[in-house]
Amino acid sequence: MTESVLEAAPSAASAATKAFAKINLTLQVIGPRSDGYHEIRSFVAGVDLADEVYGTTNVAGTAEVCCDDPSLSGPGNLAHRAAVRLADFAGVSPSLRLQIRKRIPVGGGMGGGSSDGAAALRICRTLWGLDVSDGVLASVGAELGSDVPLFFHLPSAVVSGRGEIVESRRMCWTGWAVLVAAGSSVSTPEVYRTWRREECPEVGLDLEDRVANARSAAELMALSRNDLEPAVFRVSSETAGVFSELNRRGLGPIRVSGAGSVMYRLFDDIDEARAVAAIVRDWGMNIRTEVVAVPAGPAPVLCKERMNGDY
Ligand code: C5P
């Protein structure tokens, strides 16, 4: 196995990319599975809010991951685990120094950790000169997190299974989203644990086609749904409070992304999006807002070639 993936591509001295975030335009929970996960279907779009991920090889031949949020540095980071897993798969040493500049809210349902993991795998492929496809990287990543494969299929995709089965799916619409991040991170396992089937509305079989063909933000918001939303509100009263307040002030419709806590509303017009974001910012509470382009991604891996004397 290992010889076929080694040295077929030139290795690089350093490599960098952007790790985009995602929002779930739809998220249907079909039901619990025997392996502890839930079967889902989701139409997902990348958004132009990204962590910056920069890697070089490491003389020590080991993996090191540093993040500007120190709580995310070290071997617990999914990017670290992904690099070690890929090195093991390819039969090389996990020679990597990775720096992550965090922009995506942590525990916000935007797939930030998984996107960093996917970015790390693409960076390692470049640094180590491995001849492996995106499909192989995605399946290495899927062992570490259900959302990792999705980030090899941006700008938009339909995911199924526990989230790891991904099919790229173009959308007709392009526009803007206001993201509202209301403080604390929400635990995905806890949200899934408190999910209730009776809270999920019926859905037409053509939902994903309708999302793919929608032409306006209003049409998309009307189609959007998230079966995890009631569970997110049970787990995070803070998210529930901000969601109600946004609706009470006529700033809806609002949708929660994934297992929360970030909420979004789509707009056709950037000025309208900025105006709504400014109103929310003016509340003066601990709420972060961003206006981002949708859909977005993927970002190329930019690299500096290895020079004589580099290792
Ligand atoms: O795959 P990931 O590590 O992101 O999943 C974290 C946890 O979230 C799982 O251990 C499981 O409890 C829950 N989960 C689930 N169904 C999914 C995805 C995640 O129940 N489709």
Side-chain angles (χ1 to χ4, degrees):
M1 127 91 40
T2 53
E3 277 183 13
S4 65
V5 300
L6 274 177
E7 303 299 350
S11 55
S14 65
T17 192
K18 287 210 262 185
F20 286 105
K22 57 87 175 164
I23 53 174
N24 299 79
L25 298 176
T26 66
L27 200 169
Q28 296 166 252
V29 180
I30 318 282
R33 313 185 339 171
S34 53
D35 61 2
Y37 285 87
H38 289 73
E39 191 73 14
I40 62 162
R41 275 196 80 85
S42 179
F43 198 117
V44 188
V47 302
D48 190 13
L49 173 68
D51 295 341
E52 289 162 25
V53 187
Y54 172 78
T56 59
T57 47
N58 183 1
V59 201
T62 54
E64 283 172 28
V65 172
C66 283
C67 184
D68 57 357
D69 174 346
S71 70
L72 302 176
S73 292
N77 193 299
L78 198 149
H80 187 285
R81 290 184 284 130
V84 170
R85 186 69 66 99
L86 178 62
D88 193 39
F89 169 83
V92 298
S93 61
S95 167
L96 177 71
R97 268 171 190 274
L98 200 74
Q99 285 172 280
I100 302 173
R101 220 165 144 229
K102 205 72 200 153
R103 292 292 170 268
I104 305 172
V106 178
M110 301 195 75
S114 300
S115 189
D116 293 347
L121 289 169
R122 295 165 67 229
I123 283 174
C124 289
R125 172 173 61 190
T126 302
L127 291 177
W128 303 341
L130 304 179
D131 183 24
V132 288
S133 65
D134 277 359
V136 167
L137 295 185
S139 57
V140 169
E143 294 168 24
L144 301 164
S146 310
D147 279 347
V148 178
L150 146 72
F151 291 98
F152 292 90
H153 292 80
L154 297 183
S156 52
V158 172
V159 308
S160 58
R162 61 181 166 90
E164 87 290 13
I165 303 169
V166 194
E167 183 199 324
S168 293
R169 193 73 185 273
R170 292 278 162 177
M171 355 177 6
C172 293
W173 180 82
T174 60
W176 308 94
V178 172
L179 306 175
V180 179
S184 53
S185 83
V186 173
S187 152
T188 300
E190 208 181 334
V191 168
Y192 273 104
R193 240 190 335 269
T194 53
W195 167 81
R196 292 181 197 151
R197 186 187 300 283
E198 61 274 18
E199 290 172 337
C200 304
E202 286 295 310
V203 63
L205 288 174
D206 60 349
L207 178 64
E208 287 142 17
D209 291 339
R210 292 170 71 193
V211 168
N213 294 324
R215 302 268 169 189
S216 73
E219 205 182 327
L220 275 169
M221 288 308 301
L223 290 168
S224 77
R225 57 176 278 157
N226 183 350
D227 288 350
L228 293 176
E229 227 167 59
V232 172
F233 296 152
R234 267 193 293 281
V235 169
S236 167
S237 54
E238 199 178 4
T239 308
V242 174
F243 182 87
S244 319
E245 190 59 15
L246 288 163
N247 282 309
R248 196 184 68 76
R249 298 194 190 207
L251 300 176
I254 307 290
R255 191 98 279 158
V256 170
S257 180
S261 57
V262 170
M263 293 163 264
Y264 69 84
R265 180 176 162 191
L266 304 177
F267 291 87
D268 299 316
D269 179 57
I270 191 170
D271 292 327
E272 207 187 324
R274 284 181 177 147
V276 166
I279 292 170
V280 177
R281 251 193 317 272
D282 285 350
W283 293 356
M285 293 158 67
N286 185 24
I287 299 176
R288 175 178 160 200
T289 62
E290 300 276 351
V291 176
V292 295
V294 187
V301 174
L302 306 173
C303 63
K304 179 169 161 275
E305 295 308 326
R306 200 179 290 274
M307 313 285 276
N308 277 346
D310 277 347
Y311 41 81

